[in-house]
Amino acid sequence: MSTTEVVVTGIGATTPLGGDVPSTWDGMIAGRSGITANADWAVQHDLPSRLVAPLAVEPSEVLPRVLLRKMDRCEQVALIAARQAWADAGFPRPSDEHHPVDPDRLGVVIGSGMGGPVSLLAQYDLLRQGGARKVSPLAVPMLMPNGPAAYVGIELRARAGVHSPASACASGAESLAHAWRMIRSGVADVVVAGGAEACIAPLTVAGFAQMRTLSQRNDDPDRASRPFDVDRDGFVIGEGAGVLVLESAEHARARGAAVYGRLAGAGITSDGYHITGLRPDGAGQVNAMRTAIRSAGLVPSDIGHVNAHATSTVVGDISEAASIRAAVGDHPVLTAPKGSLGHLVGGAGSVEGIITLLSVYHGVVPATRNLDNQDPRVELDVATGEPRKIRLDAAMTDSFGFGGHNVALVFTAA
């Protein structure tokens, strides 16, 4: 693979903390929570967990009605974040007369852990109630996991490849890693990449609850998600999307683009161990981190900050902490955004990638919300209380998913 530098020229997001990147970042710095208790259908279905992290801004406030009617919510949030990122990169929307990028050198990689389960469930209800004629002819495009990537690719007329990794909670980060590879290998000059998820529904919440992965702190939603805390009892399911515009440094320079930083390295591994369980020795996680650092041309001591996957589960947080110590050491400052955002599943890795990038860009590590009593087995420096001001030349973000998917990304200053 070449030594082509990959830079970030645009970022976009819609999350439980805000409808764009500035409001999401401000929410992280201020230590706000996007988590609430959904008492209505949770009580109706007797769910042990009534906690969710819904979007702060509804897609209906952003997209026209015609798109809302034909797109699944996951596709909607992906398109919203992609439009923001594209505009932030300084690109006008493609027109019949002009395209700001050679379409044959433009790619899209947007992953989703679940695709469109909300649309699938709604269409199944219509089928049961009124027969096949009640089912929308757009049912399949709404539920297919490649829908978010496809809609963005069509809008931007991308022809270098449109891809949609489905790697559970690692999908968003894996999308960025694949986009990085596309540019480094010379397949594309520009790739719009990220992850999206919108799967808050009784069935998905019930399924996660049956696995005993969700917090049941129903009476105190603001304090429910507690990464690395001794009182953590599971994660809170959220929704949202994060999208980045990645470019070769040469392409960005040629058009005079502003640059946030570099996506300098990426590592993807798999455990080959269990569909939901963690490999006991953590080797897959460690190898993903080491690969990301090595591919960035760095050594572990160069990594000043780690944005941890840390979902707030009893076992997962400890395993990740041990992996970070093994791969990087105990010197980096950590943060865990899911205390504020909840767990955005397929959108988590890309939204947290943006947060990591901004930590390097601004020299600030957001504090981990609700970390009142750090588990003594987490032998790492986790930012708590107030944001940590620190000079950062390089930072890493981790993402892990059911099925044994492990992804690590390294961002460096421009």
Side-chain angles (χ1 to χ4, degrees):
M1 188 173 289
S2 75
T3 57
T4 300
E5 286 189 353
V6 178
V7 298
V8 181
T9 56
I11 49 179
T14 181
T15 76
L17 287 177
D20 54 22
V21 170
S23 56
T24 297
W25 174 252
D26 288 347
M28 287 296 306
I29 294 301
R32 292 197 293 269
S33 170
I35 295 170
T36 186
N38 184 331
D40 296 334
W41 50 256
V43 172
Q44 177 187 350
H45 296 285
D46 193 28
L47 299 179
S49 177
R50 303 172 189 173
L51 303 163
V52 292
L55 292 173
V57 177
E58 280 296 308
S60 58
E61 299 181 37
V62 182
L63 296 176
R65 193 171 183 180
V66 64
L67 287 180
L68 295 170
R69 293 185 63 183
K70 73 177 185 178
M71 299 173 72
D72 177 75
R73 190 174 176 88
C74 182
E75 296 165 342
Q76 295 166 16
V77 298
L79 184 61
I80 290 168
R83 284 180 172 180
Q84 291 176 12
W86 188 255
D88 188 44
F91 290 127
R93 296 265 288 279
S95 66
D96 291 336
E97 295 79 25
H98 175 72
H99 198 303
V101 181
D102 179 356
D104 292 323
R105 303 286 300 168
L106 171 63
V108 171
V109 190
I110 297 179
S112 171
M114 296 191 179
V118 175
S119 291
L120 172 63
L121 294 168
Q123 293 297 315
Y124 183 59
D125 286 343
L126 291 174
L127 175 65
R128 292 176 61 193
Q129 294 164 10
R133 292 187 179 183
K134 293 293 184 180
V135 175
S136 170
L138 293 173
V140 171
M142 285 192 291
L143 64 90
M144 61 191 193
N146 66 310
Y151 270 112
V152 172
I154 291 167
E155 171 151 310
L156 299 181
R157 302 179 191 175
R159 298 202 297 255
V162 172
H163 308 286
S164 48
S167 302
C169 306
S171 300
E174 188 167 314
S175 294
L176 296 177
H178 283 306
W180 176 78
R181 288 176 173 177
M182 287 178 72
I183 295 173
R184 296 259 292 179
S185 65
V187 171
D189 297 320
V190 180
V191 183
V192 178
E197 205 75 81
C199 61
I200 297 177
L203 180 61
T204 52
V205 173
F208 280 121
Q210 287 296 95
M211 298 174 67
R212 302 182 185 277
T213 60
L214 297 183
S215 172
Q216 296 185 27
R217 199 182 294 267
N218 298 314
D219 296 330
D220 195 7
D222 281 359
R223 297 172 60 78
S225 181
R226 312 181 65 81
F228 297 131
D229 192 88
V230 291
D231 293 324
R232 68 192 181 280
D233 69 333
F235 66 81
V236 176
I237 191 167
E239 58 182 355
V243 174
L244 296 79
V245 175
L246 304 179
E247 280 186 71
S248 71
E250 181 181 6
H251 190 275
R253 277 194 301 270
R255 68 182 188 88
V259 172
Y260 286 98
R262 300 181 183 88
L263 177 51
I268 302 175
T269 66
S270 53
D271 287 348
Y273 175 74
H274 191 275
I275 195 64
T276 57
L278 298 168
R279 182 170 164 173
D281 62 4
Q285 296 181 359
V286 171
N287 288 338
M289 296 181 211
R290 287 175 174 167
T291 299
I293 294 169
R294 184 171 59 250
S295 65
L298 302 175
V299 295
S301 60
D302 294 322
I303 304 299
H305 165 51
V306 176
N307 183 301
H309 183 66
T311 59
S312 189
T313 56
V314 175
V315 176
D317 287 12
I318 298 302
S319 175
E320 181 179 9
S323 295
I324 292 170
R325 280 179 58 85
V328 188
D330 59 7
H331 65 276
V333 178
L334 269 66
T335 193
K338 293 179 181 68
S340 294
L341 289 165
H343 190 353
L344 308 190
V345 194
S350 54
V351 169
E352 293 177 24
I354 291 172
I355 293 170
T356 308
L357 173 69
L358 291 179
S359 290
V360 175
Y361 185 75
H362 293 296
V364 178
V365 175
T368 301
R369 184 179 172 85
N370 299 327
L371 181 50
D372 299 326
N373 189 4
Q374 185 167 318
D375 192 315
R377 294 171 293 178
V378 179
E379 301 176 280
L380 294 164
D381 180 11
V382 186
T384 60
E386 297 294 325
R388 187 86 62 88
K389 293 184 178 180
I390 179 176
R391 175 180 171 142
L392 289 173
D393 296 316
M396 184 175 69
T397 182
D398 298 331
S399 293
F400 312 120
F402 285 166
H405 302 280
N406 309 300
V407 182
L409 305 170
V410 170
F411 291 92
T412 61

